[in-house]
Amino acid sequence: MNLPKDRGERSILPSEITPQSVYRDRRSLLQGLGLAAAATALGSRAQAQALARPGKLPALPGTRSALAGAMTAEKTTPYQDASTYNNFYEFGTDKADPARHAGTLKTRPWTVAVEGEVKKPGSYDIDTLLKLAPMEERIYRLRCVEGWSMVIPWVGWSLADLIKRVEPTGNAKFVQFVTLADRAQMPGLRSSVLDWPYVEGLRMDEAMHPLTMLAFGMYGEVLPNQNGAPVRLVVPWKYGFKSGKSIVKIRFVDKQPKTSWEEAAASEYGFYSNVNPKVDHPRWSQATERRIGEDGLFTKKRPTLMFNGYEAQVGQLYAGMDLKKFY
Ligand SMILES: Nc1nc2c(c(=O)[nH]1)N[C@H]1C(S)=C(S)[C@@H](COP(=O)(O)O)O[C@H]1N2
Ligand SMILES: [Mo]
């Protein structure tokens, strides 16, 4: 596996960062008033923070979530790692490919279609969708099925806020997420590793769970393309691949929908894919994980937690289910 170098620095939380635009405005205001010294002092402070702050994308602030389990106290993964070590096969299968190639993704205009078993189907322009509910910051663990994990401060809101608005019918038992598949923008589509478009699905109660999130940003800024701009799903108690990036369609259906990974290897990737240290992948153990940006190659791996540590919040969804059978 292509692991980043061990970097011990603590990353700054988005809530601790003054948005770039605020600095810019304050600086030009002070300069306008002829307060050059003050502007310089501010400038060097901004510069010092620039080392730890995220990229140079537009700010997307969110209020700290009050939702149970939504704010892990664990150290967040450095932005540099979270935005350069990615899985987004539409841009290539190497961890560095998405950061390298996703620059070509056009995230405006962008529409998300909502269809199927709902009373109010529709097509949402991304800038309308953004404002559908108040933006929250939530710090979730992300555990990839490959055995690594990160801690990412997302910005977005509960998918349930959208679901309630479109009024699912009694036949809506599952939700399917369809992501963009555009050969002109996505070089990875030339490969047949997966069936395109990348599709994923959730059971209705999973989709309605407040921890299930539509994310538009991370680290206080809009999502970088490689992390799934302009909108992606985040389901923190499931393996990372359930969290589809660059979503264009949300379909409410009566039967368990097809998912790309099940289609590719059903014996390895099930529909549920809940993080579970007791159910191994057929080719490797799922008992432990390596934290990206923190654990070096020789660091002892940390234990993987049941439901990725969200058991108190989501365990009830699976009461009575055989999780070895429904893996
Ligand atoms: N459209 C799409 N979404 C995707 C993927 C992908 O290849 N294509 N990879 C998944 C996998 S395997 C993981 S681990 C997460 C990684 O998200 P991150 O790069 O933001 O950490 O995205 C998921 N969403
Ligand atoms: Mo993954």
Side-chain angles (χ1 to χ4, degrees), residues 103-115:
T104 49
L105 178 67
K106 248 189 92 207
T107 59
R108 292 292 187 287
W110 190 280
T111 50
V112 177
V114 180
E115 54 179 56

Side-chain angles (χ1 to χ4, degrees), residues 86-94 97-105 110 177-200 225-229 231 241 243-248 260-261:
N86 302 101
N87 275 337
F88 198 168
Y89 279 14
E90 287 87 334
F91 294 101
T93 55
D94 191 272
D97 281 341
R100 224 183 270 141
H101 303 303
T104 49
L105 178 67
W110 190 280
F177 303 89
V178 184
T179 72
L180 185 73
D182 180 357
R183 286 178 150 261
Q185 302 184 61
M186 300 170 138
L189 264 55
R190 287 193 292 251
S191 150
S192 54
V193 268
L194 291 175
D195 261 357
W196 314 110
Y198 188 102
V199 284
E200 258 308 335
N225 291 349
Q226 59 268 35
N227 291 82
V231 58
F241 67 83
S243 298
K245 294 176 170 180
S246 305
I247 293 171
V248 292
S260 292
W261 281 104

Side-chain angles (χ1 to χ4, degrees), residues 17-327:
I17 296 162
T18 306
Q20 202 181 26
S21 55
V22 174
Y23 276 117
R24 231 185 275 116
D25 291 347
R26 231 186 274 154
R27 280 200 82 181
S28 50
L29 177 74
L30 293 172
Q31 273 162 346
L33 292 170
L35 300 173
T40 305
L42 205 75
S44 55
R45 208 177 115 215
Q47 231 163 31
Q49 291 211 359
L51 300 171
R53 72 178 298 284
K56 290 175 175 60
L57 295 168
L60 188 68
T63 52
R64 286 175 67 87
S65 181
L67 197 65
M71 290 302 245
T72 176
E74 285 179 273
K75 188 166 81 178
T76 56
T77 300
Y79 181 86
Q80 177 66 18
D81 292 314
S83 60
T84 57
Y85 188 89
N86 302 101
N87 275 337
F88 198 168
Y89 279 14
E90 287 87 334
F91 294 101
T93 55
D94 191 272
K95 293 288 178 284
D97 281 341
R100 224 183 270 141
H101 303 303
T104 49
L105 178 67
K106 248 189 92 207
T107 59
R108 292 292 187 287
W110 190 280
T111 50
V112 177
V114 180
E115 54 179 56
E117 292 292 342
V118 286
K119 292 185 196 125
K120 295 180 172 165
S123 198
Y124 290 82
D125 178 77
I126 188 69
D127 294 306
T128 309
L129 191 66
L130 271 166
K131 297 184 201 103
L132 198 117
M135 284 292 174
E136 279 191 5
E137 178 175 274
R138 301 182 185 176
I139 306 180
Y140 286 170
R141 279 179 292 275
L142 179 141
R143 169 60 157 80
C144 176
V145 73
E146 295 166 346
W148 51 267
S149 62
M150 299 195 192
V151 178
I152 301 186
W154 302 107
V155 186
W157 34 258
S158 296
L159 175 66
D161 289 333
L162 173 64
I163 297 181
K164 285 174 201 152
R165 191 167 298 232
V166 299
E167 298 179 23
T169 71
N171 295 329
K173 306 285 188 229
F174 293 89
V175 189
Q176 187 180 43
F177 303 89
V178 184
T179 72
L180 185 73
D182 180 357
R183 286 178 150 261
Q185 302 184 61
M186 300 170 138
L189 264 55
R190 287 193 292 251
S191 150
S192 54
V193 268
L194 291 175
D195 261 357
W196 314 110
Y198 188 102
V199 284
E200 258 308 335
L202 294 174
R203 210 170 57 187
M204 197 62 184
D205 58 345
E206 298 175 325
M208 282 296 289
H209 194 283
L211 285 177
T212 300
M213 185 179 191
L214 271 187
F216 303 85
M218 63 182 214
Y219 299 79
E221 296 184 348
V222 302
L223 287 171
N225 291 349
Q226 59 268 35
N227 291 82
V231 58
R232 56 108 36 102
L233 193 70
V234 186
V235 193
W237 70 96
K238 292 180 180 280
Y239 290 118
F241 67 83
K242 297 296 291 181
S243 298
K245 294 176 170 180
S246 305
I247 293 171
V248 292
K249 197 180 284 182
I250 301 176
R251 297 176 58 224
F252 292 77
V253 293
D254 61 346
K255 290 191 186 64
Q256 186 176 304
K258 167 187 149 154
T259 77
S260 292
W261 281 104
E262 234 189 329
E263 206 83 352
S267 62
E268 303 194 359
Y269 310 104
F271 178 80
Y272 285 92
S273 289
N274 291 313
V275 174
N276 189 340
K278 290 173 289 194
V279 177
D280 288 338
H281 182 278
R283 291 185 281 136
W284 59 81
S285 162
Q286 292 291 25
T288 61
E289 67 200 56
R290 178 171 285 133
R291 188 60 53 83
I292 297 299
E294 191 176 321
D295 298 355
L297 208 45
F298 304 105
T299 310
K300 197 164 171 283
K301 291 187 182 182
R302 61 184 72 210
T304 286
L305 305 174
M306 188 64 200
F307 295 113
N308 203 20
Y310 300 93
E311 185 167 20
Q313 287 78 37
V314 304
Q316 268 307 307
L317 298 177
Y318 310 99
M321 267 176 83
D322 179 354
L323 297 177
K324 280 204 163 67
K325 185 169 172 223
F326 298 101
Y327 58 88

